[in-house]
Amino acid sequence: DLAPARLLVIADVLAKNVALGRDEREVSRVFEVIEPFAAELARSGRSPKNRREMLRTIGQARASFAMTMMAACYNLKRLTYFQKAGIEAF
Protein backbone atom coordinates (compact mmCIF):
# COMPACT_ATOMS: atom_id res chain seq x y z
CA ASP A 1 0.00 0.00 0.00
CA LEU A 2 1.53 3.33 -1.08
CA ALA A 3 -0.82 5.62 0.79
CA PRO A 4 0.53 9.14 1.42
CA ALA A 5 0.89 8.45 5.14
CA ARG A 6 3.08 5.39 4.47
CA LEU A 7 5.19 7.31 1.98
CA LEU A 8 5.74 10.00 4.61
CA VAL A 9 6.94 7.40 7.09
CA ILE A 10 9.30 5.86 4.53
CA ALA A 11 10.67 9.27 3.56
CA ASP A 12 11.16 10.17 7.21
CA VAL A 13 13.04 6.95 7.96
CA LEU A 14 15.29 7.34 4.92
CA ALA A 15 16.05 10.97 5.78
CA LYS A 16 16.93 10.07 9.35
CA ASN A 17 19.20 7.27 8.15
CA VAL A 18 21.10 9.65 5.84
CA ALA A 19 21.37 12.31 8.55
CA LEU A 20 22.64 9.81 11.11
CA GLY A 21 25.32 8.58 8.71
CA ARG A 22 26.45 12.16 8.08
CA ASP A 23 26.53 12.91 11.79
CA GLU A 24 28.59 9.79 12.51
CA ARG A 25 31.15 10.79 9.87
CA GLU A 26 31.35 14.31 11.29
CA VAL A 27 31.90 13.02 14.84
CA SER A 28 34.63 10.67 13.62
CA ARG A 29 36.37 13.55 11.86
CA VAL A 30 36.27 15.66 15.01
CA PHE A 31 37.74 12.84 17.09
CA GLU A 32 40.52 12.31 14.54
CA VAL A 33 41.65 15.88 15.20
CA ILE A 34 40.98 16.07 18.93
CA GLU A 35 42.48 12.73 20.07
CA PRO A 36 46.08 13.54 19.04
CA PHE A 37 45.66 17.00 20.57
CA ALA A 38 44.47 15.50 23.87
CA ALA A 39 47.29 12.92 23.87
CA GLU A 40 49.93 15.61 23.35
CA LEU A 41 48.35 17.77 26.03
CA ALA A 42 48.35 14.83 28.47
CA ARG A 43 51.95 13.91 27.59
CA SER A 44 53.56 17.35 27.69
CA GLY A 45 51.09 19.56 29.51
CA ARG A 46 51.16 21.96 26.54
CA SER A 47 48.87 22.37 23.60
CA PRO A 48 50.32 21.17 20.30
CA LYS A 49 51.05 23.46 17.37
CA ASN A 50 47.88 22.50 15.47
CA ARG A 51 45.72 24.22 18.09
CA ARG A 52 44.08 26.44 15.49
CA GLU A 53 42.96 23.41 13.44
CA MET A 54 41.53 21.77 16.54
CA LEU A 55 39.59 24.90 17.49
CA ARG A 56 38.29 25.27 13.94
CA THR A 57 37.12 21.63 13.95
CA ILE A 58 35.32 22.11 17.25
CA GLY A 59 33.67 25.26 15.87
CA GLN A 60 32.54 23.42 12.76
CA ALA A 61 31.15 20.57 14.89
CA ARG A 62 29.21 23.07 17.01
CA ALA A 63 27.81 24.74 13.89
CA SER A 64 26.84 21.37 12.43
CA PHE A 65 25.09 20.44 15.68
CA ALA A 66 23.20 23.75 15.63
CA MET A 67 22.05 23.09 12.06
CA THR A 68 20.93 19.59 13.06
CA MET A 69 18.88 21.02 15.92
CA MET A 70 17.28 23.58 13.60
CA ALA A 71 16.38 20.79 11.17
CA ALA A 72 14.90 18.77 14.04
CA CYS A 73 12.75 21.76 15.06
CA TYR A 74 11.59 22.19 11.48
CA ASN A 75 10.67 18.51 11.27
CA LEU A 76 8.72 18.71 14.53
CA LYS A 77 6.80 21.70 13.18
CA ARG A 78 6.12 19.77 9.97
CA LEU A 79 4.90 16.77 11.93
CA THR A 80 2.59 19.03 13.95
CA TYR A 81 1.23 20.47 10.71
CA PHE A 82 0.56 16.97 9.35
CA GLN A 83 -1.22 15.98 12.54
CA LYS A 84 -3.41 19.09 12.48
CA ALA A 85 -4.21 18.41 8.81
CA GLY A 86 -5.31 14.89 9.73
CA ILE A 87 -2.40 13.13 8.05
CA GLU A 88 -1.02 10.30 10.15
CA ALA A 89 2.72 10.03 9.54
CA PHE A 90 3.27 7.22 12.02
Side-chain angles (χ1 to χ4, degrees), residues 72-86:
C73 289
Y74 169 78
N75 287 331
L76 286 173
K77 288 178 184 178
R78 186 177 67 170
L79 179 61
T80 302
Y81 168 78
F82 288 149
Q83 288 175 338
K84 286 181 181 179

PDB file of all heavy atoms in Angstrom, residues 72-86:
ATOM      1  N   ALA A  72      15.799  19.548  13.186  1.00  0.00           N
ATOM      2  CA  ALA A  72      14.900  18.773  14.041  1.00  0.00           C
ATOM      3  C   ALA A  72      13.671  19.608  14.418  1.00  0.00           C
ATOM      4  O   ALA A  72      12.545  19.104  14.399  1.00  0.00           O
ATOM      5  CB  ALA A  72      15.633  18.304  15.291  1.00  0.00           C
ATOM      6  N   CYS A  73      13.883  20.878  14.735  1.00  0.00           N
ATOM      7  CA  CYS A  73      12.754  21.761  15.065  1.00  0.00           C
ATOM      8  C   CYS A  73      11.822  21.913  13.867  1.00  0.00           C
ATOM      9  O   CYS A  73      10.593  21.862  14.016  1.00  0.00           O
ATOM     10  CB  CYS A  73      13.265  23.129  15.507  1.00  0.00           C
ATOM     11  SG  CYS A  73      14.046  23.109  17.127  1.00  0.00           S
ATOM     12  N   TYR A  74      12.402  22.086  12.690  1.00  0.00           N
ATOM     13  CA  TYR A  74      11.589  22.189  11.479  1.00  0.00           C
ATOM     14  C   TYR A  74      10.757  20.927  11.284  1.00  0.00           C
ATOM     15  O   TYR A  74       9.561  20.996  10.979  1.00  0.00           O
ATOM     16  CB  TYR A  74      12.484  22.427  10.259  1.00  0.00           C
ATOM     17  CG  TYR A  74      11.738  22.272   8.959  1.00  0.00           C
ATOM     18  CD1 TYR A  74      10.916  23.290   8.499  1.00  0.00           C
ATOM     19  CD2 TYR A  74      11.837  21.106   8.212  1.00  0.00           C
ATOM     20  CE1 TYR A  74      10.215  23.149   7.311  1.00  0.00           C
ATOM     21  CE2 TYR A  74      11.134  20.949   7.031  1.00  0.00           C
ATOM     22  CZ  TYR A  74      10.327  21.976   6.576  1.00  0.00           C
ATOM     23  OH  TYR A  74       9.627  21.829   5.413  1.00  0.00           O
ATOM     24  N   ASN A  75      11.389  19.768  11.463  1.00  0.00           N
ATOM     25  CA  ASN A  75      10.673  18.512  11.270  1.00  0.00           C
ATOM     26  C   ASN A  75       9.561  18.327  12.291  1.00  0.00           C
ATOM     27  O   ASN A  75       8.498  17.788  11.972  1.00  0.00           O
ATOM     28  CB  ASN A  75      11.643  17.332  11.301  1.00  0.00           C
ATOM     29  CG  ASN A  75      12.483  17.258  10.051  1.00  0.00           C
ATOM     30  OD1 ASN A  75      12.048  17.671   8.993  1.00  0.00           O
ATOM     31  ND2 ASN A  75      13.693  16.755  10.174  1.00  0.00           N
ATOM     32  N   LEU A  76       9.780  18.782  13.525  1.00  0.00           N
ATOM     33  CA  LEU A  76       8.720  18.713  14.529  1.00  0.00           C
ATOM     34  C   LEU A  76       7.552  19.615  14.148  1.00  0.00           C
ATOM     35  O   LEU A  76       6.389  19.240  14.302  1.00  0.00           O
ATOM     36  CB  LEU A  76       9.260  19.089  15.908  1.00  0.00           C
ATOM     37  CG  LEU A  76      10.137  18.035  16.570  1.00  0.00           C
ATOM     38  CD1 LEU A  76      10.756  18.599  17.841  1.00  0.00           C
ATOM     39  CD2 LEU A  76       9.335  16.780  16.873  1.00  0.00           C
ATOM     40  N   LYS A  77       7.863  20.807  13.636  1.00  0.00           N
ATOM     41  CA  LYS A  77       6.804  21.704  13.176  1.00  0.00           C
ATOM     42  C   LYS A  77       6.032  21.074  12.017  1.00  0.00           C
ATOM     43  O   LYS A  77       4.808  21.158  11.936  1.00  0.00           O
ATOM     44  CB  LYS A  77       7.392  23.044  12.734  1.00  0.00           C
ATOM     45  CG  LYS A  77       7.872  23.899  13.878  1.00  0.00           C
ATOM     46  CD  LYS A  77       8.473  25.188  13.362  1.00  0.00           C
ATOM     47  CE  LYS A  77       9.039  26.018  14.471  1.00  0.00           C
ATOM     48  NZ  LYS A  77       9.675  27.248  13.976  1.00  0.00           N
ATOM     49  N   ARG A  78       6.752  20.425  11.104  1.00  0.00           N
ATOM     50  CA  ARG A  78       6.120  19.771   9.966  1.00  0.00           C
ATOM     51  C   ARG A  78       5.218  18.632  10.432  1.00  0.00           C
ATOM     52  O   ARG A  78       4.100  18.472   9.955  1.00  0.00           O
ATOM     53  CB  ARG A  78       7.197  19.247   9.020  1.00  0.00           C
ATOM     54  CG  ARG A  78       6.651  18.685   7.742  1.00  0.00           C
ATOM     55  CD  ARG A  78       7.761  18.268   6.837  1.00  0.00           C
ATOM     56  NE  ARG A  78       8.450  17.136   7.439  1.00  0.00           N
ATOM     57  CZ  ARG A  78       9.348  16.406   6.827  1.00  0.00           C
ATOM     58  NH1 ARG A  78       9.701  16.705   5.604  1.00  0.00           N
ATOM     59  NH2 ARG A  78       9.921  15.389   7.430  1.00  0.00           N
ATOM     60  N   LEU A  79       5.698  17.858  11.392  1.00  0.00           N
ATOM     61  CA  LEU A  79       4.899  16.766  11.933  1.00  0.00           C
ATOM     62  C   LEU A  79       3.625  17.305  12.584  1.00  0.00           C
ATOM     63  O   LEU A  79       2.539  16.755  12.395  1.00  0.00           O
ATOM     64  CB  LEU A  79       5.715  15.963  12.947  1.00  0.00           C
ATOM     65  CG  LEU A  79       4.995  14.799  13.614  1.00  0.00           C
ATOM     66  CD1 LEU A  79       4.559  13.770  12.591  1.00  0.00           C
ATOM     67  CD2 LEU A  79       5.892  14.160  14.660  1.00  0.00           C
ATOM     68  N   THR A  80       3.755  18.400  13.321  1.00  0.00           N
ATOM     69  CA  THR A  80       2.591  19.031  13.949  1.00  0.00           C
ATOM     70  C   THR A  80       1.587  19.477  12.888  1.00  0.00           C
ATOM     71  O   THR A  80       0.378  19.281  13.033  1.00  0.00           O
ATOM     72  CB  THR A  80       3.025  20.223  14.808  1.00  0.00           C
ATOM     73  OG1 THR A  80       3.949  19.781  15.782  1.00  0.00           O
ATOM     74  CG2 THR A  80       1.850  20.872  15.498  1.00  0.00           C
ATOM     75  N   TYR A  81       2.108  20.051  11.799  1.00  0.00           N
ATOM     76  CA  TYR A  81       1.228  20.471  10.709  1.00  0.00           C
ATOM     77  C   TYR A  81       0.475  19.275  10.135  1.00  0.00           C
ATOM     78  O   TYR A  81      -0.731  19.335   9.899  1.00  0.00           O
ATOM     79  CB  TYR A  81       2.037  21.162   9.609  1.00  0.00           C
ATOM     80  CG  TYR A  81       1.246  21.366   8.342  1.00  0.00           C
ATOM     81  CD1 TYR A  81       0.318  22.407   8.242  1.00  0.00           C
ATOM     82  CD2 TYR A  81       1.395  20.504   7.270  1.00  0.00           C
ATOM     83  CE1 TYR A  81      -0.428  22.580   7.098  1.00  0.00           C
ATOM     84  CE2 TYR A  81       0.655  20.672   6.112  1.00  0.00           C
ATOM     85  CZ  TYR A  81      -0.255  21.712   6.028  1.00  0.00           C
ATOM     86  OH  TYR A  81      -0.997  21.877   4.893  1.00  0.00           O
ATOM     87  N   PHE A  82       1.209  18.169   9.891  1.00  0.00           N
ATOM     88  CA  PHE A  82       0.564  16.968   9.354  1.00  0.00           C
ATOM     89  C   PHE A  82      -0.523  16.459  10.291  1.00  0.00           C
ATOM     90  O   PHE A  82      -1.605  16.065   9.853  1.00  0.00           O
ATOM     91  CB  PHE A  82       1.586  15.864   9.103  1.00  0.00           C
ATOM     92  CG  PHE A  82       2.506  16.115   7.929  1.00  0.00           C
ATOM     93  CD1 PHE A  82       3.787  15.622   7.949  1.00  0.00           C
ATOM     94  CD2 PHE A  82       2.078  16.832   6.829  1.00  0.00           C
ATOM     95  CE1 PHE A  82       4.639  15.838   6.870  1.00  0.00           C
ATOM     96  CE2 PHE A  82       2.913  17.062   5.745  1.00  0.00           C
ATOM     97  CZ  PHE A  82       4.203  16.561   5.764  1.00  0.00           C
ATOM     98  N   GLN A  83      -0.231  16.462  11.572  1.00  0.00           N
ATOM     99  CA  GLN A  83      -1.225  15.976  12.536  1.00  0.00           C
ATOM    100  C   GLN A  83      -2.455  16.863  12.549  1.00  0.00           C
ATOM    101  O   GLN A  83      -3.575  16.371  12.580  1.00  0.00           O
ATOM    102  CB  GLN A  83      -0.598  15.884  13.926  1.00  0.00           C
ATOM    103  CG  GLN A  83       0.382  14.739  14.063  1.00  0.00           C
ATOM    104  CD  GLN A  83       1.081  14.714  15.398  1.00  0.00           C
ATOM    105  OE1 GLN A  83       1.169  15.717  16.098  1.00  0.00           O
ATOM    106  NE2 GLN A  83       1.630  13.557  15.751  1.00  0.00           N
ATOM    107  N   LYS A  84      -2.262  18.185  12.490  1.00  0.00           N
ATOM    108  CA  LYS A  84      -3.413  19.086  12.477  1.00  0.00           C
ATOM    109  C   LYS A  84      -4.210  18.948  11.191  1.00  0.00           C
ATOM    110  O   LYS A  84      -5.427  19.150  11.185  1.00  0.00           O
ATOM    111  CB  LYS A  84      -2.938  20.534  12.643  1.00  0.00           C
ATOM    112  CG  LYS A  84      -2.497  20.867  14.030  1.00  0.00           C
ATOM    113  CD  LYS A  84      -2.073  22.299  14.156  1.00  0.00           C
ATOM    114  CE  LYS A  84      -1.614  22.613  15.564  1.00  0.00           C
ATOM    115  NZ  LYS A  84      -1.165  24.009  15.703  1.00  0.00           N
ATOM    116  N   ALA A  85      -3.520  18.578  10.094  1.00  0.00           N
ATOM    117  CA  ALA A  85      -4.209  18.412   8.809  1.00  0.00           C
ATOM    118  C   ALA A  85      -4.877  17.038   8.708  1.00  0.00           C
ATOM    119  O   ALA A  85      -5.520  16.741   7.707  1.00  0.00           O
ATOM    120  CB  ALA A  85      -3.198  18.590   7.665  1.00  0.00           C
ATOM    121  N   GLY A  86      -4.683  16.206   9.729  1.00  0.00           N
ATOM    122  CA  GLY A  86      -5.315  14.890   9.733  1.00  0.00           C
ATOM    123  C   GLY A  86      -4.524  13.827   9.001  1.00  0.00           C
ATOM    124  O   GLY A  86      -5.046  12.758   8.699  1.00  0.00           O
TER     125      GLY A  86
END
